[in-house]
Amino acid sequence: MAKIAVLGFGTVGSGVVEVIETNKTSINKRAGDEIEIKYVLDLREFPGNPIQDVLTHDFNDILNDPEVSVVVETMGGLNPAYDFTKRCLLAGKSVCTSNKELVAEHGLELMQIAQDNGVNYLFEASCGGGIPIIRALNSSLTADEIDEITGILNGTTNYILTKMARDGAEFDEALKEAQNNGFAERNPEADIEGLDACRKIAILSSLAYGRDVRWQDIHTEGITKITATDIKYAQSIGCSVKLLATSRKVNNRFYAMVSPALINADNPLYSVQGVFNAVFVHGNVLGDAMFYGSGAGKLPTASAVVADVVDCAKHPHENVMNRWSSKKLDLIDIDDVRSRFFVRVSGSLAGDISNVQEVFGKIEPISIPGVGNEFGFVTEEMSEHEYKEKASKIDNIISMIRARI
């Protein structure tokens, strides 16, 4: 019998318990052993809930119990999650987690501790909720050399941008609705400023390229400056605005970025709506592959966590090694990254376009009905540095969004 403990009985932790109880027969069959929840750690009481029978308020009950072989960490954040996780691994207990903040910050160290102690540190649920992208990178795609990962990795921001596109809502209105519907936290900063997606693309890049990518080194922009007018312009040329997290190999050099971008219907991420997430992967043998599903939510995330628990139960004394080296992956300077740019400027199309063309050269001008005294345009491909230099010569720029078209 594989006895486990769950740290935290919040949304994901309670989901883990529910998934194990609901699918007990099939889960035990796949694990090759019976999985039993021996402890749930939480500071609160849950009167009337069956979990009360296994509830503990003392982490040491779990740490010092030799029967507990797998610990599920669903507390979130760095503290005390980091300390508890490290102590469990050192004690010879495998740990499964959905905590992307902890994995992005200390994942390399914790995986090494797990390897040294013959146990596992698994985090399938940390990057795409119920999407099995990490397992794919670690096993199914090991014959490929991955040269690009691009994803919609945050359900909150995708919900907000979908709401803005469908209803013409401004950002603040869409955010409020997301909060009212439980799709955004009371403090949504990590989501709307792109930090959540940044941590996830750092984890995925580290696994895909086999070298350590620090999330702090990734250029990150959120969606707080996106307006309903920006989206109207995008729709007028058959595009949608998405928050994309990208890492890519170009001429044997790597870059990583999180930012809003215009994409058209040729892009497989174009039609990903609402709280759904998707990850596009390109390999030199496979070509294009797409992973799509619920990127958040109680049961989808819990399902991915329990899949890791099953892996740990199947390999009780075997480290399932992830491809994440301690050698750092050097990223090129953001100024050297090339793309096209969608730009809005104040003024009339007839009167001011010549000035824009003089600076930017060949452009695709855009005007939309009902928006006065401004127009937009899409540039040719250029580096970020070139764009900044040219933009400094135009004093009436309203906004800019990168264009992956």
Side-chain angles (χ1 to χ4, degrees), residues 100-209:
K100 64 265 186 181
E101 185 177 358
L102 179 59
V103 177
E105 190 67 38
H106 296 292
L108 180 63
E109 175 195 0
L110 294 172
M111 279 190 292
Q112 187 60 55
I113 293 172
Q115 184 181 23
D116 292 344
N117 287 272
V119 292
N120 286 292
Y121 182 58
L122 303 181
F123 41 87
E124 180 63 69
S126 67
C127 287
I131 303 173
I133 180 62
I134 290 177
R135 195 164 276 105
L137 290 175
N138 278 334
S139 56
S140 303
L141 300 178
T142 52
D144 274 73
E145 287 194 12
I146 306 301
D147 54 35
E148 181 181 355
I149 302 175
T150 296
I152 295 172
L153 297 176
N154 183 271
T156 298
T157 51
N158 206 49
Y159 178 90
I160 290 170
L161 292 172
T162 299
K163 168 73 175 176
M164 294 174 72
R166 287 178 176 170
D167 300 344
E170 290 291 355
F171 171 80
D172 289 342
E173 178 188 347
L175 171 59
K176 185 176 181 180
E177 180 177 301
Q179 290 172 318
N180 291 340
N181 290 333
F183 297 135
E185 302 289 343
R186 184 174 298 177
N187 179 3
E189 181 181 3
D191 295 320
I192 62 177
E193 296 293 352
L195 298 176
D196 178 77
C198 173
R199 293 184 177 108
K200 291 173 180 177
I201 195 64
I203 295 168
L204 294 177
S205 301
S206 297
L207 294 172
Y209 307 132

Side-chain angles (χ1 to χ4, degrees), residues 22 25 58 60 78 88 91 107 124 135 153 177 184 195 200 239 248 339-340 350 367 370 383:
T22 301
T25 301
D58 187 352
N60 288 309
L78 295 179
C88 285
E124 180 63 69
R135 195 164 276 105
L153 297 176
E177 180 177 301
L195 298 176
K200 291 173 180 177
C239 292
R248 193 176 180 193
S339 69
R340 301 180 73 189
S367 60
S383 70

